[in-house]
């Protein structure tokens, strides 16, 4: 497995997104644990989660608990695995998503995540989504507190714009380690954020890199160049997509969601797929089909 860097810590160039294993349509626990174990077997050392990855209001942190159970039951060494979790986004249990970026909530959320993950310090903790009712610096300021207190080892933000990236890095005194934004062939709106991270040397973690849970399987059908390059290499369009992202900048670390061992194993193989300049240009110019 090839490595990249988050805040000076080497991690696998492809991470595992845990969200599909805990929200609507999730598989049974046994399959989810097999998926996590398959990722670990293949060399994944970055697993992304959040306390909001659950369905019902009484199961906050379902995905964090699942990942903790999978790591505890794994037969190999997990000492180098970074679990990246997030706080500040909530699911009341009615299918909706809300936000709470108040310092009080974030302090409570990180303590709860620490307990569920069963660790003394969280590898990477990210402010999940800006709360328009709370000054951004106040929310990010909690991350600085947590770093200084040793409750988290690395700090990141998610769903941020370039101004917020710069503000967060200032509030954290240059210690902003990662930005997790939506980015895929179908959603290119975070290109400016990716470029900002590349300029600052901050890891950029694309979420839903294959287009989302319901549409990842259609990637080749929706984007003809990805299908064409996939056929030329004898691989899946999804693998081509992740290789294209990796080629964008050394700071890019995709975190494709998976709920089947076969999916994450195929995604990880993207680290060995080398695109030509012409292929990269064709993929970069790809337009979605109706």
């Amino acid at each position: 497995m090839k490595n990249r860097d988050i805040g000076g810590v080497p991690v696998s160039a492809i991470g595992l997104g845990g969200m599909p294993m805990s929200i609507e349509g999730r598989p049974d626990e046994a399959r989810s644990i097999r998926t996590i174990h398959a990722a670990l077997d293949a060399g994944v050392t970055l697993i992304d989660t959040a306390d909001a990855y659950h369905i019902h209001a009484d199961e906050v942190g379902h995905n964090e608990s699942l990942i903790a159970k999978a790591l505890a039951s794994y037969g190999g060494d997990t000492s180098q695995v970074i679990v990246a979790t997030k706080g500040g986004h909530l699911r009341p249990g009615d299918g909706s998503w809300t936000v709470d970026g108040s310092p009080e909530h974030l302090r409570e959320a990180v303590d709860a995540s620490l307990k569920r993950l069963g660790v003394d310090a969280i590898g990477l903790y990210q402010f999940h989504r800006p709360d328009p009712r709370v000054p951004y610096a106040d929310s990010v300021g909690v991350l600085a507190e947590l770093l200084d207190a040793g409750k988290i080892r690395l700090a990141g933000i998610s769903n941020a714009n370039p101004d917020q990236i710069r503000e967060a890095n200032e509030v954290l005194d240059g210690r902003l380690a990662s930005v997790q934004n939506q980015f895929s062939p179908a959603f290119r709106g975070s290109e400016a954020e990716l470029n900002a991270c590349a300029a600052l040397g901050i890891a950029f973690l694309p979420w839903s890199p294959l287009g989302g849970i319901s549409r990842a399987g259609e990637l080749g059908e929706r984007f003809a160049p990805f299908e064409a390059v996939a056929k030329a290499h004898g691989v899946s369009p999804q693998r081509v997509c992740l290789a294209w992202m990796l080629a964008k900048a050394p700071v890019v670390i995709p975190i494709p969601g998976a709920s089947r061992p076969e999916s994450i194993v195929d995604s990880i193989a993207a680290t060995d797929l080398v695109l030509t300049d012409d292929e990269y240009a064709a993929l970069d110019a790809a337009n979605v089909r109706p």
Side-chain angles (χ1 to χ4, degrees):
M1 171 62 74
K2 295 179 175 65
N3 285 340
R4 291 200 167 181
D5 184 276
I6 300 180
V9 178
V11 298
S12 53
I14 298 284
L16 169 64
M19 183 177 178
M21 292 180 269
S22 289
I23 64 165
E24 289 79 358
R26 66 192 182 197
D28 61 82
E29 184 178 278
R31 194 178 92 186
S32 292
I33 290 178
R34 288 198 303 273
T35 301
I36 296 168
H37 287 178
L40 296 171
D41 286 342
V44 166
T45 58
L46 174 65
I47 303 177
D48 177 77
T49 183
D51 59 6
Y53 294 167
H54 62 88
I55 300 174
H56 308 294
D58 62 352
E59 57 170 19
V60 174
H62 178 278
N63 197 244
E64 292 175 324
S65 299
L66 174 68
I67 289 167
K69 184 174 183 178
L71 289 173
S73 62
Y74 184 63
D77 179 18
T78 60
S79 61
Q80 302 304 308
V81 176
I82 297 292
V83 176
T85 192
K86 300 179 286 294
H89 214 0
L90 299 86
R91 300 203 77 189
D94 59 0
S96 66
W97 295 76
T98 60
V99 293
D100 187 347
S102 65
E104 296 77 14
H105 171 75
L106 293 174
R107 293 185 188 108
E108 292 175 359
V110 76
D111 285 341
S113 291
L114 280 164
K115 290 179 181 178
R116 285 189 290 266
L117 292 170
V119 295
D120 295 325
I122 293 171
L124 171 61
Y125 194 75
Q126 302 166 101
F127 177 38
H128 202 157
R129 186 175 290 274
D131 183 345
R133 301 166 302 175
V134 180
Y136 198 65
D138 290 357
S139 299
V140 176
V142 176
L143 300 182
E145 292 178 16
L146 298 173
L147 283 170
D148 293 340
K151 290 187 175 184
I152 66 175
R153 295 194 172 96
L154 298 168
I157 54 177
S158 184
N159 301 297
N161 62 40
D163 288 340
Q164 290 167 333
I165 293 171
R166 288 185 283 269
E167 182 178 4
N169 202 35
E170 290 177 6
V171 171
L172 292 167
D173 294 322
R175 294 181 292 173
L176 181 63
S178 66
V179 175
Q180 182 173 323
N181 274 25
Q182 183 179 9
F183 186 77
S184 71
F187 185 86
R188 302 284 291 273
S190 288
E191 199 97 42
E193 288 79 8
L194 190 162
N195 292 336
C197 287
L200 293 168
I202 295 169
F204 183 82
L205 315 181
W207 61 264
S208 287
L210 303 177
I213 296 171
S214 63
R215 307 213 70 176
E218 306 169 3
L219 193 148
E221 299 172 13
R222 301 180 69 207
F223 298 92
F226 285 84
E227 180 72 24
V229 172
K231 288 181 178 178
H233 286 271
V235 301
S236 69
Q238 292 76 17
R239 194 183 303 185
V240 169
C241 176
L242 297 173
W244 164 71
M245 286 190 181
L246 290 170
K248 279 193 161 290
V251 299
V252 176
I253 306 171
I255 46 172
S259 62
R260 294 183 300 114
E262 299 82 2
S263 297
I264 189 59
V265 169
D266 184 74
S267 292
I268 292 164
T271 60
D272 293 322
L273 178 59
V274 178
L275 303 173
T276 67
D277 290 343
D278 288 344
E279 286 173 335
Y280 177 83
L283 298 174
D284 222 34
N287 293 315
V288 66
R289 293 176 176 176

